[in-house]
């Protein structure tokens, strides 16, 4: 942006001893890491130069399959390279060869990106940033590429810019889909509920009395029907607050439970956790 904040991928800056940013007008300057979050593979840098031209945000929620998009970057060190294609799929959560967590979601495109494109913008027909190019399957482009949608990237960017880290609500469970046999036993409708397959001891869920094989029906009014989306609801819940949870047990008893959330922090590793870093450019 005009203040000199830059959004890129976490894996691009991981393990760096120093960072240099080169602008299109030829200026080169050192960059400082403001914050980073490995879970969403995003990092925010800061440079101090005048007369910066800001990229404009677009809204990835407005994209449809088949829309034209362009990627800019430096594949294999070939600077100022631009490729284009279409949006192939929306809301892609995981694919072979793509790192996946509950906090990640991708736009799938057929835009050619390669090592060196990571952290670069995916833009729409108006030149607005609708994604951050992040991943491919395999070591080079094979017709499929992935970008973090701007709706996710922009939210994380603002938090990292403000705080330097991402703070998430922590429950301490392993959620999964309810198996069909258990669904029949518990008299659950199709898609209803999320199964707790494991509980961390000690942890907020265990302390509240939640146990493996409990099924979460709702979380603060959110009707649980997807493990990933439930994980995001938990993560977005204020740390230290008490969540109203409704569960169903194998005896078919429906039970309200109050759970006090702990904190799960995606800390900027450059000041606190250098031992956790690895280097890659997916």
């Amino acid at each position: 942006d005009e203040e000199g904040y830059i959004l890129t991928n976490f894996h691009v800056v991981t393990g760096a001893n120093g960072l240099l940013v080169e602008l299109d007008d030829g200026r080169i300057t050192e960059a400082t890491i403001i914050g980073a979050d490995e879970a969403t593979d995003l990092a925010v840098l800061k440079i101090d130069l005048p007369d910066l031209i800001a990229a404009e945000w677009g809204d990835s929620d407005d994209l449809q399959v088949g829309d034209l998009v362009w990627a800019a970057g430096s594949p294999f060190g070939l600077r100022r390279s631009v490729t284009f294609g279409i949006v192939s799929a929306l809301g892609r959560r995981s694919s072979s060869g793509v790192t996946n967590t509950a906090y990640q979601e991708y736009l799938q495109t057929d835009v050619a990106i390669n090592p060196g494109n990571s952290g670069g913008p995916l833009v729409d027909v108006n030149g607005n940033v609708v994604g951050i190019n992040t991943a491919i399957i395999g070591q080079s482009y094979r017709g499929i590429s992935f970008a973090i949608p701007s709706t996710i990237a922009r939210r994380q960017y603002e938090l990292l810019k403000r705080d330097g880290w991402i703070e998430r609500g922590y429950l301490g469970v392993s959620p999964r889909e309810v198996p069909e046999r258990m669904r029949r036993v518990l008299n659950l409708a199709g898609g209803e509920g999320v199964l707790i397959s494991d509980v961390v001891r000690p942890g907020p869920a265990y302390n509240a009395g939640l146990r493996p094989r409990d099924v979460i029906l709702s979380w603060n009014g959110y009707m649980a029907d997807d493990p990933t989306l439930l994980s995001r609801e938990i993560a977005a819940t204020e740390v230290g607050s008490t969540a109203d949870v409704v569960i169903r047990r194998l005896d078919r008893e429906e039970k309200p439970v109050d759970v006090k959330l702990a904190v799960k922090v995606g800390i900027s590793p450059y000041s606190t956790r250098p031992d956790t870093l690895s280097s890659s450019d997916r």
Side-chain angles (χ1 to χ4, degrees):
D1 63 17
E2 292 178 348
E3 296 179 67
Y5 289 96
I6 298 170
L7 181 64
T8 187
N9 283 137
F10 173 89
H11 73 262
V12 169
V13 300
T14 295
N17 295 318
L19 293 170
L20 294 176
V21 170
E22 182 175 357
L23 303 183
D24 194 58
D25 60 14
R27 288 183 291 174
I28 299 176
T29 185
E30 292 185 350
T32 301
I33 297 175
I34 299 299
D37 180 51
E38 187 173 11
T40 53
D41 196 12
L42 291 169
V44 173
L45 317 180
K46 178 70 166 63
I47 61 173
D48 293 308
L49 285 177
D51 304 321
L52 297 172
I53 300 174
E56 298 294 334
W57 283 107
D59 189 347
S60 57
D61 283 350
D62 291 338
L63 291 175
Q64 298 181 25
V65 173
D67 282 352
L68 291 171
V69 282
W70 285 257
S74 302
F76 301 112
L78 300 171
R79 296 184 299 165
R80 303 181 186 179
S81 294
V82 177
T83 53
F84 88 101
I86 63 168
V87 176
S88 304
L90 302 170
R92 190 71 79 195
R93 294 183 191 165
S94 65
S95 184
S96 177
V98 180
T99 300
N100 184 63
T101 73
Y103 314 115
Q104 289 177 315
E105 187 169 291
Y106 298 102
L107 299 171
Q108 181 185 326
T109 77
D110 69 349
V111 178
I113 68 171
N114 286 285
N117 275 114
S118 290
L122 184 77
V123 303
D124 61 15
V125 292
N126 298 311
N128 295 327
V129 178
V130 291
I132 304 298
N133 298 313
T134 298
I136 54 180
I137 293 177
Q139 298 301 311
S140 61
Y141 173 72
R142 292 190 285 180
I144 298 174
S145 55
F146 299 94
I148 301 170
S150 62
T151 50
I152 293 177
R154 186 174 187 176
R155 182 170 61 248
Q156 305 309 310
Y157 160 76
E158 295 291 350
L159 291 171
L160 289 171
K161 178 181 173 181
R162 186 190 70 190
D163 300 327
W165 64 85
I166 304 295
E167 185 177 77
R168 298 182 173 92
Y170 174 65
L171 180 60
V173 300
S174 297
R176 55 170 291 191
E177 293 183 0
V178 182
E180 188 58 36
R181 183 176 179 181
M182 179 178 286
R183 189 177 299 283
R184 291 195 298 268
V185 169
L186 295 178
N187 195 28
L188 296 171
E192 183 183 9
V194 172
L195 175 67
I196 297 175
S197 62
D198 195 17
V199 176
V200 176
R201 304 184 187 187
Y206 183 80
N207 294 340
L210 297 180
R211 297 294 182 263
R213 305 186 78 184
D214 286 345
V215 174
I216 296 177
L217 300 179
S218 68
W219 176 275
N220 277 345
Y222 166 77
M223 305 309 294
D225 59 2
D226 183 287
T228 299
L229 295 181
L230 175 61
S231 295
R232 292 180 189 173
E233 288 291 324
I234 294 169
T237 304
E238 183 180 356
V239 173
S241 67
T242 299
D244 299 322
V245 186
V246 177
I247 64 170
R248 185 173 296 177
R249 295 202 151 132
L250 288 178
D251 57 8
R252 295 194 179 187
E253 177 188 4
E254 201 162 295
K255 179 181 179 181
V257 180
D258 293 332
V259 182
K260 185 174 182 180
L261 261 69
V263 62
K264 186 172 186 178
V265 179
I267 301 175
S268 176
Y270 303 96
S271 58
T272 57
R273 296 281 300 280
D275 57 305
T276 67
L277 303 184
S278 61
S279 179
S280 65
D281 188 355
R282 293 190 298 277

